[in-house]
């Protein structure tokens, strides 16, 4: 698997990102955000599709203008931004030339060493960018970003084209990362490992939770259990014992967890197949 040393980065000031009434979107407002990110925090962004998670990252990196409100990046902050288009890069340049163009002052030995750490060794460095798989393109972009040792990493779905080993490797790298992290992901296991706080997008607003995904799930579950509908007060007495109801709920929960595990395994298998070189030109199979 690939490797990177991100344990030694220059420290930023305490305030890394500040947003005030930041309205994000294209032709209409997707969400309004008030959020402060401090040095060393690792925040995962979650929420349904189309609510503005990626749009938020594009806005604070300057790729997209805010509709209203303000945001600011703190002093001595160096940003490393990985977006969803990183796996779509296309070029006739070789991996070696593409990387070297980013770091023209490096020696060939240093360039080859950096690429080798991300599994581009031997003749692999002479592959054309356009011929790389989605997973290889992601590794190359991460190699370039990590090489600069930013103290503020902004990642948008970085594990989309990775196999299980690649995901676990990135999790370990980010766990040891000494800088500040802000990322979007739909992979709940990745979120559990990489995030110690959450920014949740829902219903046109955002909520910040200063704890990890497991505690977030637990708190949401407790909120749901305490929300007793008014109509329930008028219902007739149930003759089912609480013990039977709890056992029934546990059986259903076990069944759902099994379905989730099976679906995630299938998802990982399909991702692995997508990254196989022999499948890259089989358009019927890719579809």
């Amino acid at each position: 698997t690939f490797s990177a040393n991100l344990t030694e980065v220059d420290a930023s000031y305490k305030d890394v990102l500040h947003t005030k009434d930041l309205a994000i979107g294209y032709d209409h407002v997707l969400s309004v955000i008030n959020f402060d990110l401090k040095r060393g925090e690792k925040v995962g962004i979650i929420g349904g599709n189309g609510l503005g998670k990626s749009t938020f990252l594009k806005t604070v990196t300057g790729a997209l203008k805010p509709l209203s409100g303000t945001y600011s990046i703190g002093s001595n902050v160096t940003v490393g931004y990985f977006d969803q288009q990183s796996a779509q890069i296309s070029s006739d340049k070789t991996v070696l030339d593409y990387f070297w163009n980013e770091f023209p002052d490096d020696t060939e030995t240093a360039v080859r060493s950096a690429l080798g750490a991300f599994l581009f060794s031997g003749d692999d460095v002479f592959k054309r960018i356009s011929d790389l798989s989605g997973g290889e393109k992601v590794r190359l972009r991460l190699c370039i970003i990590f090489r600069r040792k930013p103290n503020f990493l902004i990642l948008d779905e970085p594990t989309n084209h990775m196999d299980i080993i690649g995901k676990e490797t990135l999790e370990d790298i980010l766990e040891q990362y000494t800088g500040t992290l802000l990322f979007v992901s739909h992979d709940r296991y990745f979120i559990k490992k990489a995030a110690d706080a959450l920014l949740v997008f829902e219903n046109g607003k955002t909520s910040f939770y200063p704890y990890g995904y497991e505690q977030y799930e637990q708190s949401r579950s407790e909120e749901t259990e305490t929300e007793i509908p008014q109509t329930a007060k008028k219902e007739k007495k149930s003759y089912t014992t609480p013990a039977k109801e709890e056992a029934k709920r546990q059986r259903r929960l076990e069944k759902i967890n099994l379905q989730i595990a099976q679906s995630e395994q299938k998802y990982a298998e399909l991702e692995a197949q997508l990254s196989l070189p022999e499948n890259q030109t089989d358009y019927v199979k890719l579809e």
Side-chain angles (χ1 to χ4, degrees):
T1 187
F2 58 91
S3 61
N5 179 16
L6 285 176
T7 57
E8 298 177 4
V9 296
D10 293 333
S12 66
Y13 285 16
K14 184 177 180 181
D15 296 320
V16 175
L17 174 65
H18 170 73
T19 69
K20 181 175 176 57
D21 299 328
L22 181 65
I24 60 168
Y26 292 88
D27 54 353
H28 67 282
V29 176
L30 294 174
S31 187
V32 177
I33 304 154
N34 287 285
F35 170 62
D36 287 319
L37 183 64
K38 303 298 183 181
R39 181 183 60 226
E41 288 184 330
K42 297 177 180 179
V43 178
I45 301 175
I46 62 174
N49 291 327
L51 298 181
K53 301 185 300 297
S54 295
T55 306
F56 173 52
L57 297 189
K58 288 179 181 178
T59 302
V60 298
T61 54
L64 191 66
K65 290 184 178 180
L67 297 181
S68 63
T70 61
Y71 74 91
S72 61
I73 301 292
S75 299
N76 202 38
V77 172
T78 54
V79 176
Y81 175 43
F82 175 94
D83 67 355
Q84 291 188 30
Q85 303 305 314
S86 293
Q88 309 299 326
I89 55 175
S90 181
S91 172
D92 288 331
K93 289 183 178 179
T94 65
V95 171
L96 183 65
D97 290 338
Y98 187 86
F99 185 89
W100 213 341
N101 187 61
E102 297 284 336
F103 305 96
D105 295 333
D106 281 4
T107 64
E108 183 174 352
T109 301
V111 169
R112 279 180 168 272
S113 176
L115 288 171
F118 278 75
L119 307 184
F120 295 103
S121 57
D123 290 340
D124 289 338
V125 300
F126 300 116
K127 285 183 177 179
R128 290 193 315 163
I129 299 297
S130 300
D131 294 333
L132 298 180
S133 67
E136 287 174 322
K137 290 178 180 179
V138 167
R139 272 193 279 117
L140 179 57
R141 289 303 305 164
L142 288 177
C143 182
I144 291 171
I145 292 169
F146 290 172
R147 176 73 169 169
R148 294 195 171 99
K149 290 187 178 295
N151 55 33
F152 182 21
L153 274 177
I154 300 178
L155 309 178
D156 191 2
E157 297 284 3
T159 63
N160 267 3
H161 295 272
M162 285 186 180
D163 57 20
I164 293 175
I165 295 176
K167 289 179 182 179
E168 291 176 346
T169 301
L170 185 58
E171 288 167 5
D172 292 338
I173 291 172
L174 295 179
E175 272 191 303
Q176 298 172 36
Y177 178 51
T178 56
T180 308
L181 175 64
L182 183 66
F183 70 94
V184 170
S185 179
H186 286 94
D187 187 326
R188 65 193 185 112
Y189 289 108
F190 182 75
I191 297 168
K192 284 179 181 179
K193 290 277 285 185
D196 53 29
L198 297 175
L199 185 64
V200 182
F201 279 64
E202 53 187 350
N203 302 323
K205 64 183 182 67
T206 58
S207 303
F208 179 71
Y209 296 86
Y211 41 73
Y213 190 76
E214 289 183 342
Q215 191 174 346
Y216 166 75
E217 281 188 318
Q218 183 180 346
S219 66
R220 291 300 294 265
S221 176
E222 290 172 354
E223 287 175 7
T224 302
E225 289 178 2
T226 56
E227 289 174 0
I228 303 174
Q230 291 297 317
T231 54
K233 296 180 181 179
K234 300 178 182 179
E235 291 178 357
K236 291 183 179 180
K237 222 183 220 185
S238 172
Y239 293 97
T240 305
T241 65
K244 285 183 178 179
E245 284 295 324
E246 177 61 24
K248 183 177 179 182
R249 190 172 67 173
Q250 284 298 324
R251 287 195 298 270
R252 174 164 170 75
L253 184 60
E254 289 170 4
K255 183 178 179 182
I256 290 172
N257 281 330
L258 178 61
Q259 291 173 338
I260 290 173
Q262 291 172 340
S263 296
E264 288 177 338
Q265 179 62 33
K266 181 64 176 176
Y267 181 82
E269 290 172 358
L270 290 171
E271 277 195 322
Q273 290 180 42
L274 277 171
S275 64
L276 291 175
E278 59 266 28
N279 290 337
Q280 295 302 306
T281 56
D282 190 338
Y283 298 104
V284 175
K285 184 174 287 188
L286 286 174
E287 181 66 27

